[in-house]
Amino acid sequence: MGKPYRKNVGMVVFNSRGEVLVGERLHFLGSWQFPQGGIDKDENPETASLRELYEEVGIDDGSIVSEYPEWIPYEFPENLPLNRHLQKYRGQLQKWYLIYWNGEASDCDLETHEREFESIQFIPIEKTLETVVPFKKDVYYKIVNYFGPLIQKYLEKEKMDS
């Protein structure tokens, strides 16, 4: 029996310009990713996504627009320097959420909890495929292809409603 996967949530936060929020990892400078974090024991994934979003970037008023229909796994590469608490896992099993939040990167607080990002910025969603670490690329392809059109739909509907 191999190592288990760690259950995790990922959050794609987008603004009214249709850009998405990515953070540059403290220990992997030059590599940008969506906020993500572990699910506590007995915690519902949706609750975990909002809690982690607040802990990582200080956003507490985003609204969940959609979720990816299935859990997506990825493996940790052999040579990845892992935190002690991650060493017992083979990788992560992620549930992804699309969250609308119309603030600016400068409104975020990276020190709410334990700091994970050096800096954050909003970029076009397609760009995330170039900036993410290679072992998460497959996950990001699925997320970008699924959430990209939903972001456009949401913003078009907002425009029509206003």
Side-chain angles (χ1 to χ4, degrees):
M1 172 82 189
K3 293 179 177 182
Y5 282 105
R6 173 179 182 245
K7 283 207 164 166
N8 184 285
V9 285
M11 292 73 72
V12 176
V13 175
F14 70 102
N15 62 18
S16 63
R17 296 187 297 272
E19 299 163 332
V20 294
L21 187 71
V22 288
E24 185 178 27
R25 290 300 299 263
L26 273 182
H27 308 295
F28 296 94
L29 296 182
S31 133
W32 296 77
Q33 67 168 51
F34 295 123
Q36 61 171 55
I39 300 175
D40 293 339
K41 191 175 165 356
D42 301 327
E43 188 177 31
N44 153 320
E46 193 169 299
T47 307
S49 73
L50 295 172
R51 174 185 56 76
E52 280 289 343
L53 189 61
Y54 177 68
E55 288 180 4
E56 291 200 356
V57 294
I59 294 175
D60 61 1
D61 56 349
S63 46
I64 294 181
V65 171
S66 181
E67 74 177 72
Y68 192 80
E70 57 229 19
W71 292 82
I72 308 176
Y74 73 85
E75 314 275 328
F76 294 134
E78 285 296 311
N79 58 355
L80 190 68
L82 292 173
N83 300 348
R84 238 192 5 261
H85 70 281
L86 290 180
Q87 287 168 356
K88 55 179 181 286
Y89 300 106
R90 64 186 282 194
Q92 309 216 71
L93 189 58
Q94 296 186 304
K95 187 65 161 153
W96 283 87
Y97 291 91
L98 181 62
I99 297 172
Y100 179 68
W101 179 72
N102 197 25
E104 297 298 333
S106 55
D107 301 334
C108 291
D109 179 359
L110 304 182
E111 301 284 355
T112 305
H113 193 55
E114 193 181 316
R115 189 170 183 133
E116 302 209 17
F117 294 125
E118 175 64 33
S119 59
I120 53 173
Q121 62 176 340
F122 276 101
I123 65 174
I125 193 167
E126 305 72 39
K127 269 234 160 71
T128 60
L129 296 172
E130 300 159 25
T131 61
V132 70
V133 292
F135 65 89
K136 290 184 186 169
K137 269 215 161 83
D138 290 351
V139 175
Y140 277 48
Y141 271 112
K142 291 181 175 148
I143 295 308
V144 168
N145 288 329
Y146 188 80
F147 284 158
L150 294 179
I151 291 174
Q152 291 322 113
K153 260 199 202 102
Y154 181 89
L155 294 177
E156 281 160 21
K157 187 180 173 316
E158 284 288 288
K159 235 187 250 142
M160 279 161 45
D161 293 348
S162 62

